[in-house]
């Protein structure tokens, strides 16, 4: 597959049964610490900035600068297609899970990993200036 192949709406998701989703371990309140946008660069955020995800056993809430934005449900699947979706060379085994908000199985894929006490998301195709990543720290 080409590194930046567009999502095929008729394609079935690629699920790797060997990778176990880690949904229970993302439970908690996570606050934004950094973002990276392929066309803007890196931005860091101080503790107390109020941009937070709260994950609780399949339900989530999102706040931007302390203001409630949305809530809903999420599902986690093991998915090894991160390289094909974000158009980057990524270390094998990184971002092994996909998070799906509000049953949005046909939306572009968002992958995540837990590493060193941080929750990081990556999505979009960096080769066409749509890629971005976010890193959150556990605060509760």
């Amino acid at each position: 597959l080409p590194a930046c192949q567009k999502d095929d709406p008729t394609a079935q998701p690629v699920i790797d049964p060997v990778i176990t989703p880690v949904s229970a371990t993302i439970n908690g309140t996570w606050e934004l610490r950094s973002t990276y946008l392929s066309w803007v660069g890196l931005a860091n955020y101080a503790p107390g900035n109020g941009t937070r995800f709260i994950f609780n056993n399949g339900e989530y809430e999102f706040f931007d600068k302390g203001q409630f934005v949305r809530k809903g449900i999420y599902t986690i699947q093991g998915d090894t297609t991160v390289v094909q979706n974000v158009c980057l060379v990524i270390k094998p085994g990184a971002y092994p899970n996909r998070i799906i908000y509000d049953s949005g199985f046909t939306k572009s894929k968002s992958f995540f990993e837990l590493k060193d006490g941080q929750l990081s998301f990556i999505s979009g195709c960096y080769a066409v200036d749509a890629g971005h990543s976010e890193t959150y720290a556990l605060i509760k």
Side-chain angles (χ1 to χ4, degrees):
L1 293 174
C4 197
Q5 178 180 352
K6 296 281 186 196
D7 285 340
D8 178 356
T10 62
Q12 295 297 315
V14 176
I15 308 298
D16 187 340
V18 176
I19 296 175
T20 304
V22 292
S23 60
T25 61
I26 70 168
N27 284 341
T29 301
W30 299 86
E31 188 174 60
L32 184 65
R33 291 295 180 260
S34 67
T35 58
Y36 182 84
L37 302 169
S38 62
W39 50 277
V40 174
L42 179 66
N44 292 305
Y45 301 88
N49 65 69
T51 299
R52 298 178 177 170
F53 267 110
I54 300 172
F55 293 104
N56 186 16
N57 298 320
E59 296 181 351
Y60 77 92
E61 292 181 62
F62 179 72
F63 296 81
D64 184 25
K65 299 175 188 149
Q67 300 295 310
F68 174 79
V69 176
R70 70 181 182 271
K71 68 179 182 175
I73 60 170
Y74 69 93
T75 304
I76 293 175
Q77 292 180 336
D79 188 327
T80 60
T81 64
V82 65
V83 170
Q84 294 90 340
N85 282 270
V86 300
C87 313
L88 291 174
V89 175
I90 295 178
K91 185 172 121 182
Y95 297 96
N97 292 288
R98 176 181 176 200
I99 189 163
I100 302 156
Y101 298 101
D102 303 315
S103 302
F105 288 91
T106 59
K107 294 183 180 181
S108 62
K109 292 182 178 184
S110 181
F111 298 87
F112 76 92
E113 72 176 350
L114 287 167
K115 186 176 178 182
D116 301 328
Q118 296 185 323
L119 175 62
S120 298
F121 297 97
I122 191 168
S123 61
C125 180
Y126 280 75
V128 293
D129 295 332
H132 71 278
S133 62
E134 302 170 340
T135 299
Y136 292 79
L138 184 64
I139 60 171
K140 287 189 204 178

